[in-house]
């Protein structure tokens, strides 16, 4: 049976996460994430996905220390990153820098320790490259700060406020894992050949780079900026749909109702920053777009996806648009590595078939 894009085909059995797209539910290791993500730290979320349960105090301290100790860049990485052309985008930089990590340490089988190292170093790669491009001195990771706070510190040079860290941390936990999406599938396919974790993650980063997967938040900012004021929302949205364009931040392969992560982020944003004009605009655009989509695309069940409110959070922490997808990558690395670990536990090489529809001469 041929199914384009493998839509609806079960490609693996997993205990990592479960999505009920009809009901709008996302579960990490048996626990519903909405309500939980707002209370956890990045380190707890990562531990849960890798190990399958929430850490006790001692385990939490241990994983915090391990993540902290693995933040540094190798000499090879700094040399490679510095030698890349200035115009190279951050996702390509990440893909290349992670490749430069490859060594015998990463030979089969993948381990949680390897996953911790790759997770710990991604924010530092992003911050190092950003400092090079903007000709700012590079700030070494701050040992006093947790994973999310340190990322913001390295990017901005100041100790971020609790509210800002909370917003980013909730975003990062909510986007750590999402079932058999294209990048997790890429990672599992690469790992299924008994290739190393670095190669699997490099495949995943390349897949994440595409605008249909990881690129939406920048598109949402463009949309919000083009709309500018609430009174223009309906006309801009209608014009885009008439031209056959897709509205960035709407629609999802799996969720056929509201994305639970979008709801959690919207709540978090309101809780942290109160009503501000850009949030008001985002709320109005969301409402208008859903109404217009119902009319123009009846029966398609198109709602806001996580990227819509992620864009609002990114804006509230003043993150440049080009860092949106890399920041998404800094959280999704947890899910990718969890998938590779699971794949390695019961590995069979992926080998689907293709249906020949060409000529036979
Ligand atoms: N804006 C307008 N129309 C949309 C739409 C959007 N964001 N998303 C889907 N549609 C429409 C399609 O044009 C199609 O209409 P048709 O039946 O008249 O041809 C119908 O809904 C089904 O689209 P399809 O592409 O098959 O849906 P999908 O579920 O396979 O696609 C996405 C999912 C995410 C690829 C798609 O919704 C999209 O491109 N969204 C914008 C990008 C985005 O926000 N990505 C981030 C995902 S986290």
């Amino acid at each position: 049976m041929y199914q384009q894009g493998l839509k609806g085909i079960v490609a693996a059995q997993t205990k990592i996460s479960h999505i009920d797209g009809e009901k709008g539910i996302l579960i990490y290791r048996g626990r519903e994430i909405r309500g939980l993500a707002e209370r956890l730290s990045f380190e707890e979320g990562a531990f849960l996905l890798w190990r399958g349960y929430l850490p006790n105090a001692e385990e939490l301290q241990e994983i915090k220390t391990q993540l902290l100790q693995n933040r540094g860049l190798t000499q090879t990485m700094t040399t490679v990153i510095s030698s890349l052309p200035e115009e190279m985008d951050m996702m390509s930089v990440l893909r290349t820098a992670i490749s430069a990590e490859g060594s015998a340490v990463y030979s089969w089988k993948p381990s949680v320790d390897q996953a911790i190292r790759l997770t710990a170093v991604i924010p530092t790669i992003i911050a190092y490259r950003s400092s090079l491009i903007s000709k700012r001195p590079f700030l070494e990771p701050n040992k006093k700060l947790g994973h999310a706070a340190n990322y913001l510190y390295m990017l901005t040079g100041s100790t971020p406020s609790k509210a800002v860290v909370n917003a980013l941390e909730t975003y990062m936990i909510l986007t750590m894992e999402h079932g058999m999406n294209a990048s997790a599938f890429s990672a599992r396919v690469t790992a299924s050949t008994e290739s190393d974790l670095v190669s699997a993650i490099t495949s995943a980063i390349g897949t994440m780079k595409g605008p249909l997967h990881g690129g939406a938040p920048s598109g949402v900012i463009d949309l919000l900026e083009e709309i500018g004021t609430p009174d223009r929302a309906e006309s801009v949205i209608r014009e885009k749909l008439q031209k056959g364009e897709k509205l960035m931040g709407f629609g999802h392969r799996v969720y056929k109702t509201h994305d639970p992560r979008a709801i959690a982020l919207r709540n978090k944003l309101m809780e942290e920053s109160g009503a501000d004009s850009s949030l008001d605009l985002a709320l109005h655009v969301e409402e208008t777009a859903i109404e217009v989509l119902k009319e123009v695309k009846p029966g398609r069940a198109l709602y806001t996806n996580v990227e819509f409110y992620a864009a609002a959070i990114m804006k509230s922490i003043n993150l440049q648009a080009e860092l949106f997808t890399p920041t998404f990558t800094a959280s999704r690395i947890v899910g990718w590595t969890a998938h590779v670990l699971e794949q390695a536990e019961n590995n069979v090489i992926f080998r689907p078939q293709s249906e020949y529809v060409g000529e036979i001469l």
Side-chain angles (χ1 to χ4, degrees):
M1 183 191 76
Y2 167 57
Q3 181 62 56
Q4 194 173 19
L6 299 181
K7 199 168 178 172
I9 304 290
V10 176
Q13 290 189 316
T14 185
K15 291 184 177 166
I16 305 170
S17 71
H18 171 65
I19 306 161
D20 185 330
E22 295 298 327
K23 293 195 186 126
I25 291 173
L26 171 62
I27 284 169
Y28 283 2
R29 298 283 189 184
R31 296 170 169 80
E32 197 175 333
I33 198 62
R34 199 176 134 197
L36 182 68
E38 296 92 316
R39 290 188 278 114
L40 297 185
S41 64
F42 179 94
E43 288 83 350
E44 287 169 305
F47 188 101
L48 173 65
L49 288 173
W50 286 326
R51 300 276 186 202
Y53 60 94
L54 283 168
N56 61 29
E58 198 182 317
E59 289 167 322
L60 181 58
Q61 193 46 52
E62 195 181 325
I63 194 159
K64 278 185 177 172
T65 309
Q66 271 187 294
L67 278 164
L68 205 138
Q69 286 171 343
N70 278 285
R71 284 174 183 168
L73 302 178
T74 60
Q75 179 70 48
T76 314
M77 270 187 181
T78 54
T79 309
V80 166
I81 298 168
S82 316
S83 69
L84 297 172
E86 256 193 47
E87 64 277 12
M88 190 186 257
D89 66 278
M90 188 63 89
M91 288 303 284
S92 302
V93 170
L94 270 181
R95 195 190 56 217
T96 312
I98 289 294
S99 276
E101 171 80 357
S103 75
V105 179
Y106 288 93
S107 60
W108 186 263
K109 274 173 121 179
S111 66
V112 174
D113 286 349
Q114 294 175 4
I116 289 173
R117 162 65 183 160
L118 295 185
T119 303
V121 80
I122 285 194
T124 320
I125 297 172
I126 298 172
Y128 182 72
R129 175 70 177 182
S130 293
S131 70
L132 281 181
I133 293 296
S134 52
K135 306 202 174 6
R136 279 186 286 106
F138 170 60
L139 288 168
E140 290 294 338
N142 184 330
K143 290 196 171 72
K144 292 195 185 110
L145 299 176
H147 190 79
N150 175 60
Y151 177 45
L152 278 177
Y153 163 77
M154 288 191 297
L155 282 179
T156 61
S158 55
T159 311
S161 73
K162 194 132 184 47
V164 163
V165 173
N166 283 346
L168 180 71
E169 200 151 18
T170 304
Y171 164 78
M172 292 185 93
I173 295 163
L174 286 164
T175 52
M176 272 178 182
E177 161 58 11
H178 210 237
M180 192 56 78
N181 51 77
S183 55
F185 185 50
S186 287
R188 285 187 88 125
V189 170
T190 303
S192 80
T193 67
E194 295 197 2
S195 186
D196 55 274
L197 185 64
V198 165
S199 300
I201 297 310
T202 309
S203 301
I205 294 173
T207 308
M208 172 73 103
K209 193 184 158 190
L212 291 188
H213 190 357
S218 329
V220 177
I221 295 278
D222 292 345
L223 176 71
L224 293 175
E225 281 177 357
E226 190 180 338
I227 291 173
T229 50
D231 56 304
R232 283 175 38 81
E234 188 170 342
S235 58
V236 173
I237 288 167
R238 282 190 188 280
E239 198 187 312
K240 285 192 173 298
L241 292 176
Q242 254 158 27
K243 282 196 228 153
E245 285 178 34
K246 283 191 174 169
L247 294 179
M248 288 294 148
F250 294 85
H252 198 277
R253 270 273 152 93
V254 184
Y255 293 113
K256 297 306 166 203
T257 177
H258 289 279
D259 181 338
R261 302 165 302 167
I263 299 172
L265 280 184
R266 178 174 45 191
N267 293 344
K268 192 74 189 177
L269 206 70
M270 286 174 137
E271 189 187 297
E272 296 295 353
S273 56
D276 74 3
S277 62
S278 63
L279 180 59
D280 286 349
L281 178 66
L283 285 166
H284 182 75
V285 170
E286 179 189 26
E287 254 172 51
T288 311
I290 288 173
E291 281 309 307
V292 177
L293 282 167
K294 262 188 204 152
E295 182 194 315
V296 180
K297 299 268 173 190
R300 292 346 177 272
L302 294 167
Y303 296 99
T304 327
N305 63 46
V306 68
E307 303 309 339
F308 188 80
Y309 277 100
I313 290 214
M314 302 291 182
K315 237 183 152 191
S316 81
I317 58 176
N318 285 325
L319 206 75
Q320 300 135 273
E322 71 212 43
L323 294 183
F324 290 1
T325 311
T327 303
F328 184 5
T329 303
S331 42
R332 186 52 66 82
I333 176 95
V334 176
W336 292 335
T337 47
H339 275 280
V340 170
L341 291 168
E342 187 175 66
Q343 180 68 32
E345 278 316 304
N346 183 20
N347 187 42
V348 173
I349 188 169
F350 278 92
R351 182 57 173 98
Q353 291 185 15
S354 48
E355 181 187 359
Y356 180 69
V357 293
E359 281 181 286
I360 297 182
L361 300 170

